[in-house]
Amino acid sequence: KTTNNIQNMEWTKCPDFPVVAGTASLGVSAPLASIWNDLLVVAGGCNFPDKPVIKGGVKRYYNEVFTLNLQENGADWKMIGYLPEPVAYGATAVTSRGIVCIGGNNSNTSFSEVFLLVPEKESFRMIVLPALPVVMNNMAASAMGDMIYVAGGNADGVPSNVFYSL
């Protein structure tokens, strides 16, 4: 809940994120996530499903896409499809046309791909956009209108201060 008085703000529990791909884990880290048209969209992500890394656990990456209708009382998460590749550590920016998903990586590769994810009732559309000039992960992204900005993170595997716009 939010109010005009910041001192009256309070946390409200939302439905727990679904267990992904039958793992024992209770959630994912570093997914592509944004809110578009009253839907919280969470795509991909990663975790250590069997045991923590400190105990020899192996990180697993996911490609499931989930939505949660934030305006529907009693709503629960819906799985609406799969990304073409498992991905985490990318960035998102919201435009009037949908959610722009940018870069990221998985256990095999880092990505320069950029696409527009447009959630629909029970599925989503993916529209390919121009790729980044380098592979990137762990960066920040934002939008102003339909202009997308990407900053920092790792570019071609090296920490960077790059700043791109699309």
Side-chain angles (χ1 to χ4, degrees):
K1 292 181 184 178
T2 61
T3 67
N4 290 334
N5 183 341
I6 197 166
Q7 294 174 340
N8 290 331
M9 291 172 53
E10 63 183 70
W11 288 95
T12 303
K13 187 172 184 327
C14 296
D16 290 339
F17 192 74
V19 173
V20 178
T23 71
S25 177
L26 296 177
V28 295
S29 140
L32 300 168
S34 283
I35 295 173
W36 193 72
N37 285 351
D38 297 329
L39 293 176
L40 172 57
V41 179
V42 178
C46 60
N47 63 21
F48 293 87
D50 302 315
K51 56 186 170 181
V53 67
I54 198 163
K55 295 183 179 180
V58 176
K59 188 181 286 188
R60 182 170 172 189
Y61 291 81
Y62 301 96
N63 64 344
E64 289 86 352
V65 179
F66 293 93
T67 61
L68 178 66
N69 187 329
L70 299 174
Q71 295 301 314
E72 183 181 306
N73 287 334
D76 207 355
W77 291 96
K78 290 182 183 176
M79 209 265 282
I80 62 168
Y82 298 91
L83 299 174
E85 296 269 348
V87 64
Y89 305 106
T92 60
V94 177
T95 72
S96 62
R97 297 175 181 166
I99 301 167
V100 178
C101 299
I102 306 160
N105 68 277
N106 63 30
S107 57
N108 300 322
T109 191
S110 290
F111 300 103
S112 62
E113 285 80 6
V114 179
F115 60 89
L116 187 68
L117 189 149
V118 185
E120 296 174 340
K121 282 188 176 184
E122 302 292 325
S123 63
F124 64 91
R125 287 183 292 127
M126 245 178 84
I127 300 165
V128 175
L129 298 174
L132 291 162
V134 296
V135 297
M136 291 186 74
N137 58 50
N138 289 291
M139 66 288 202
S142 190
M144 180 180 238
D146 286 335
M147 181 70 76
I148 308 301
Y149 299 94
V150 176
N154 298 315
D156 284 337
V158 178
S160 73
N161 62 348
V162 299
F163 187 60
Y164 293 112
S165 65
L166 174 67

